[in-house]
C-alpha cells in the first residue's frame, strides 16, 4: 500500500508543472517544502536565524518567492533585524508632509509603471535612443550558464513585465526570442558577433541586432564576481544550441579571453563604442566592476573633453553572482556595489557630466532596501540577476558550477531543465519585478517624491549599531547638488508619473480642516 501511494505521488509530481523541484525529484522533493513550511519554528530553537544565510537570507528569499507567487509578502509582528547592533544599517527617511500622497490601499498600483528618468542614448542623440519602460531589468546571465528553459522564462517574463533582458555574454539564442526586449552583451569572446577565428565581426553584430528586438548594446569589461578573469565552457556542455548562439564549434571547449581585442584603453574603448553606436544606431553602455579608479577618471575626462561617450555605465558589485568563479575572486576582488558605484558616480559628477549618462547598478539590488540605497546613490536603473533566478525557482543550493542544479535553472542537463516550465515561471518573474517596482514607487511616495530617481543623497542614513547616524551624502562624500536630476529631467519624469500616479492618501477633509 505505501508503495502504491508513493507511486501515485511520484506520477503526480512528474506530471505537474508548478514546482520544478518536484518534477525533477518526485516524492523526496516534498521534504524541502515541508522544511520550508516549518522552518521558522525549527530555526527559532535549533538552526540559523532569518537573516543569517547568504548570499540571500531566508527573509529575503521568502520575500522574493511570495512576491513571485503573488502571495502575502508582508511580515508580521515587526522587524527581526538586529537594528540596534548592526553597523551601516540603512534607514530611509520618510516625509511627513511630502509633495506626493501615497495611495491608501496597500495593493494599489501593483501594475505601477516606473520608467527610467532619463532617455537612454538621448544625451548623444543616438538614432534609436529610448526611455526604458522599467527601472528594474534582468541582468546579463548567459545561455550556457542558465538553461534554455530558464532563459526563455526570463525572456517571456521580461515581455510580461515590460522590462529589458540582458543576454549576458553567451550570444542571443532561440530562448531569447519570446517577445522580451533585449540588451545584447558583447564580451571578450564576441560570442554571437564573431568570425570563425573568434575576431569581432561587425556585419554579424548588425545581423543579430536586425533579427531580434535588441534595444541597446553592452560592452562587458568585467563582472563583480570574477573581474579580470576569462572563462571556459567545457566542450561537453557546448550543445548544438549553445554553439549556434555563440558562433563556436559544437562539442569543443569554448574559451572567453580575459581582455578585449578591439580596444586597450579608455580612448580606444570610446572609439569602439562610437563605432558600434554609429553602425547600429543603438545606445551603447559598458558593464564593469570597480577596482582601480584611474580607468574611470580617464574615461570621464575623455567624455567631458571630446564629446565621445558611453550612453550608460552599469556597475556590478563585488558581491554579485556568477555561474562559477574562484573563491578569492568571488570573495575579495573588486569593490562591493555601494563603495564602487559611489566612487564612479563621483568621478562623473565632479566633471559635471552625470546627467549625460544613465547609471545602472547590480549586486543584490533586487531587494527593496538595497534598491532604494542604489537610487539614492545615483542609479537610474537596477538590474536583477540571482533574485530573478529565485523567482523562477532557484532554491540557493549553490551548485550552479556543477551542472547539477536541482531546479533546472543553471544546468544544461536535459532532465533537470525539463522540470522548469518557462510559461509558468515567466509569470512568476514578472510578478516579482512588478512587485519590486511597486515597492520602489511606494517608498518614493512615502518620501514625498514621484519617482525613485528623485530620492536624493539625504534620503538615506546609515545607523551604526543603534547609535551614530551618518547620511548617505556624508558617508560617500557626495557634494551638494549631486544626485539631483537636471531641471528638465525632473520636470519630464514628474509629468510622466503624474499621468499614472495613483490618487488618494486621506479621506475628505472635515469642514473645520485648516490645511
Ligand atoms: C548564473 C549567472 C550568470 C551570469 N552571467 C553573466 C554574464 O554572462 N555577463 C555578465 O555581465 N554578468 C553575468 N552575471 C552577473 C549578473 O549579471 C549580475 O551582474 C550579478 O549577479 C549581480 O546581480 P545580482 O546580485 O542581482 O545577482 C551572471 C550571474 C549569474 C548568477
Ligand atoms: S544550483 Fe542552486 S543556486 Fe544555482 S541556480 Fe540551481 S538552485 Fe539556484
Amino acid at each position: 500500500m505505501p508503495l502504491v501511494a508513493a507511486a501515485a505521488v511520484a506520477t503526480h509530481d512528474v506530471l505537474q508543472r508548478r514546482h520544478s523541484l518536484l518534477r525533477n525529484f518526485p516524492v523526496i522533493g516534498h521534504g524541502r517544502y515541508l522544511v520550508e513550511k516549518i522552518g521558522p519554528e525549527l530555526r527559532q530553537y535549533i538552526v540559523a536565524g532569518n537573516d543569517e544565510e547568504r548570499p540571500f537570507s531566508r527573509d529575503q528569499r521568502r520575500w522574493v518567492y511570495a512576491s513571485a507567487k503573488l502571495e502575502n509578502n508582508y511580515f508580521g509582528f515587526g522587524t527581526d533585524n538586529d537594528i540596534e547592533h548592526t553597523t551601516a544599517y540603512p534607514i530611509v527617511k520618510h516625509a511627513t508632509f511630502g509633495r506626493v500622497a501615497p495611495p491608501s490601499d496597500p495593493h494599489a498600483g501593483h501594475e505601477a509603471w516606473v520608467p527610467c528618468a532619463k532617455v537612454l542614448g538621448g544625451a548623444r542623440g543616438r538614432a534609436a535612443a529610448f526611455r526604458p519602460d522599467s527601472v528594474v531589468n534582468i541582468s546579463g546571465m548567459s545561455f550556457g550558464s542558465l538553461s534554455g528553459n530558464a532563459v526563455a522564462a526570463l525572456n517571456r517574463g521580461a515581455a510580461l513585465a515590460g522590462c529589458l533582458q540582458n543576454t549576458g555574454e553567451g550570444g542571443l539564442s532561440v530562448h531569447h526570442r519570446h517577445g522580451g526586449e533585449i540588451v545584447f552583451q558583447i564580451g571578450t569572446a564576441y560570442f554571437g558577433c564573431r568570425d570563425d577565428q573568434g575576431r569581432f565581426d561587425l556585419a554579424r553584430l548588425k545581423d543579430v541586432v536586425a533579427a531580434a528586438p535588441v534595444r541597446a548594446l553592452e560592452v562587458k569589461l568585467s563582472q563583480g564576481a570574477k573581474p579580470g578573469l576569462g572563462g571556459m565552457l567545457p566542450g561537453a556542455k557546448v550543445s548544438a544550441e549553445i554553439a549556434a548562439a555563440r558562433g563556436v564549434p559544437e562539442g569543443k571547449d569554448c574559451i572567453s579571453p580575459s581582455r578585449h581585442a578591439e580596444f586597450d584603453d579608455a580612448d580606444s574603448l570610446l572609439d569602439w563604442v562610437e563605432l558600434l553606436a554609429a553602425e547600429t544606431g543603438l545606445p551603447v553602455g559598458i558593464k564593469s566592476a570597480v577596482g582601480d579608479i584611474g580607468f574611470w577618471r580617464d574615461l570621464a575626462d575623455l567624455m567631458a573633453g571630446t564629446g565621445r561617450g558611453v550612453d550608460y555605465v552599469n556597475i556590478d558589485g563585488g558581491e554579485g553572482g556568477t555561474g562559477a568563479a574562484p573563491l578569492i575572486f568571488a570573495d575579495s576582488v573588486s569593490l562591493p556595489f555601494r563603495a564602487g558605484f559611489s566612487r564612479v558616480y563621483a568621478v562623473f559628477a565632479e566633471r559635471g557630466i552625470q546627467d549625460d549618462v544613465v547609471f545602472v547598478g547590480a549586486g543584490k539590488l533586487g531587494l527593496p532596501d538595497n534598491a532604494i540605497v542604489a537610487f539614492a546613490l545615483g542609479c537610474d536603473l537596477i538590474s536583477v540577476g540571482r533574485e530573478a533566478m529565485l523567482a523562477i525557482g532557484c532554491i540557493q543550493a549553490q551548485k550552479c558550477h556543477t551542472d547539477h542544479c536541482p531546479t533546472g535553472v543553471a544546468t544544461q542537463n536535459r532532465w533537470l531543465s525539463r522540470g522548469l516550465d518557462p510559461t509558468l515561471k515567466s509569470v512568476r518573474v514578472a510578478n516579482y519585478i512588478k512587485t519590486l517596482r511597486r515597492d520602489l514607487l511606494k517608498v518614493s511616495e512615502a518620501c514625498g517624491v514621484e519617482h525613485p530617481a528623485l530620492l536624493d543623497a539625504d534620503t538615506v542614513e546609515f545607523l551604526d549599531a543603534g547609535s551614530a547616524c551618518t547620511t548617505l551624502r556624508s558617508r560617500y562624500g557626495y557634494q551638494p547638488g549631486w544626485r539631483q536630476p537636471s531641471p528638465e529631467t525632473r520636470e519630464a519624469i514628474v509629468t510622466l508619473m503624474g499621468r499614472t500616479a495613483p490618487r488618494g492618501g486621506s479621506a475628505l477633509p472635515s469642514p473645520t480642516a485648516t490645511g
Side-chain angles (χ1 to χ4, degrees):
M1 196 60 185
L3 276 181
V4 176
V9 173
T11 310
H12 165 268
D13 288 351
V14 171
L15 295 180
Q16 61 79 41
R17 289 172 174 273
R18 278 175 60 81
H19 304 292
S20 320
L21 194 68
L22 294 183
R23 257 157 90 79
N24 291 340
F25 298 95
V27 186
I28 56 170
H30 286 278
R32 183 257 169 182
Y33 292 102
L34 180 69
V35 170
E36 185 182 278
K37 196 157 186 177
I38 59 171
E41 290 82 353
L42 279 179
R43 284 193 318 279
Q44 197 70 32
Y45 299 104
I46 49 174
V47 207
N50 287 337
D51 292 306
E52 282 177 34
E53 291 169 41
R54 292 289 177 274
F56 295 93
S57 72
R58 226 164 251 267
D59 273 355
Q60 292 170 334
R61 294 199 320 269
R62 206 186 104 204
W63 181 81
V64 175
Y65 294 142
S67 302
K69 294 179 192 165
L70 286 189
E71 290 172 353
N72 184 344
N73 64 0
Y74 281 29
F75 286 69
F77 206 60
T79 182
D80 60 7
N81 291 354
D82 191 5
I83 298 175
E84 297 90 335
H85 302 104
T86 308
T87 49
Y89 188 94
I91 302 287
V92 182
K93 295 187 291 182
H94 67 283
T96 305
F97 297 115
R99 201 169 59 225
V100 180
S104 336
D105 171 4
H107 300 292
H110 183 74
E111 296 285 333
W113 178 58
V114 193
C116 182
K118 292 178 186 157
V119 174
L120 186 54
R124 266 164 219 91
R126 307 297 188 206
F130 72 109
R131 184 187 297 278
D133 249 342
S134 170
V135 289
V136 182
N137 297 287
I138 298 174
S139 203
M141 293 178 289
S142 59
F143 170 47
S145 66
L146 297 189
S147 68
N149 277 351
V151 172
L154 295 176
N155 187 262
R156 286 174 199 262
L160 292 172
C163 73
L164 300 161
Q165 179 191 26
N166 188 309
T167 57
E169 59 185 312
L172 204 152
S173 70
V174 286
H175 307 292
H176 290 100
R177 296 169 194 270
H178 294 281
E181 293 190 329
I182 297 288
V183 175
F184 183 79
Q185 189 179 74
I186 307 175
T188 51
Y190 306 113
F191 291 133
C193 55
R194 61 193 244 146
D195 67 12
D196 296 343
Q197 295 174 53
R199 295 173 304 189
F200 173 66
D201 185 333
L202 183 60
R204 286 200 191 177
L205 176 70
K206 287 163 98 171
D207 288 346
V208 170
V209 165
V214 176
R215 304 297 309 271
L217 301 175
E218 179 171 283
V219 180
K220 178 183 168 184
L221 303 178
S222 60
Q223 74 184 85
K226 49 177 182 181
L229 274 190
M232 205 250 306
L233 192 65
K237 287 194 189 171
V238 184
S239 63
E241 274 183 350
I242 289 180
R246 298 190 177 206
V248 299
E250 186 182 342
K252 295 228 168 98
D253 289 352
C254 177
I255 291 164
S256 294
S258 56
R259 296 281 173 88
H260 277 268
E262 296 302 299
F263 52 86
D264 56 11
D265 58 12
D267 197 14
S268 48
L269 165 65
L270 283 179
D271 281 344
W272 200 57
V273 163
E274 290 296 338
L275 171 84
L276 298 180
E279 291 286 336
T280 63
L282 296 173
V284 182
I286 52 171
K287 172 168 179 174
S288 182
V290 182
D292 166 35
I293 204 71
F295 158 71
W296 298 99
R297 291 197 184 119
D298 291 348
L299 183 76
D301 281 343
L302 286 163
M303 283 176 62
T306 66
R308 290 173 296 157
V310 297
D311 296 300
Y312 74 90
V313 165
N314 181 1
I315 298 297
D316 198 18
E319 67 275 63
T322 173
L327 187 64
I328 173 71
F329 279 82
D331 279 356
S332 306
V333 184
S334 84
L335 289 165
F337 172 76
R338 290 177 191 168
F341 181 88
S342 55
R343 284 188 202 180
V344 170
Y345 186 86
V347 166
F348 283 82
E350 279 159 1
R351 288 154 183 81
I353 55 171
Q354 72 271 36
D355 281 331
D356 298 342
V357 178
V358 169
F359 287 95
V360 189
K364 295 173 71 172
L365 302 186
L367 304 162
D369 50 346
N370 288 347
I372 288 291
V373 174
F375 279 101
L377 279 170
C379 273
D380 298 296
L381 300 173
I382 55 163
S383 299
V384 296
R386 288 164 296 173
E387 301 87 332
M389 290 164 69
L390 293 172
I392 59 170
C394 162
I395 56 170
Q396 195 165 272
Q398 293 178 276
K399 291 191 171 154
C400 317
H401 58 297
T402 65
D403 207 32
H404 297 312
C405 168
T407 57
V409 175
T411 177
Q412 300 307 311
N413 177 301
R414 277 179 177 274
W415 168 260
L416 294 172
S417 59
R418 168 203 156 275
L420 192 161
D421 182 317
T423 308
L424 191 140
K425 301 294 185 185
S426 66
V427 177
R428 299 246 176 108
V429 70
N431 287 340
Y432 154 69
I433 288 171
K434 289 178 189 177
T435 306
L436 176 58
R437 262 191 328 231
R438 185 212 40 197
D439 276 12
L440 295 178
L441 186 59
K442 277 182 169 299
V443 175
S444 308
E445 288 169 347
C447 295
V449 297
E450 295 83 351
H451 187 278
L454 301 179
L455 297 168
D456 69 18
D458 296 312
T459 312
V460 175
E461 285 194 18
F462 292 97
L463 183 61
D464 278 317
S467 53
C469 276
T470 325
T471 62
L472 183 147
R473 183 180 298 289
S474 65
R475 191 173 198 101
Y476 293 105
Y478 276 32
Q479 304 298 314
W482 291 10
R483 197 23 181 163
Q484 296 282 333
S486 69
E488 304 77 51
T489 303
R490 169 179 286 269
E491 200 183 315
I493 198 64
V494 168
T495 309
L496 278 176
M497 296 309 290
R499 279 189 213 149
T500 55
R503 291 167 175 278
S506 67
L508 288 174
S510 75
T512 53
T514 54

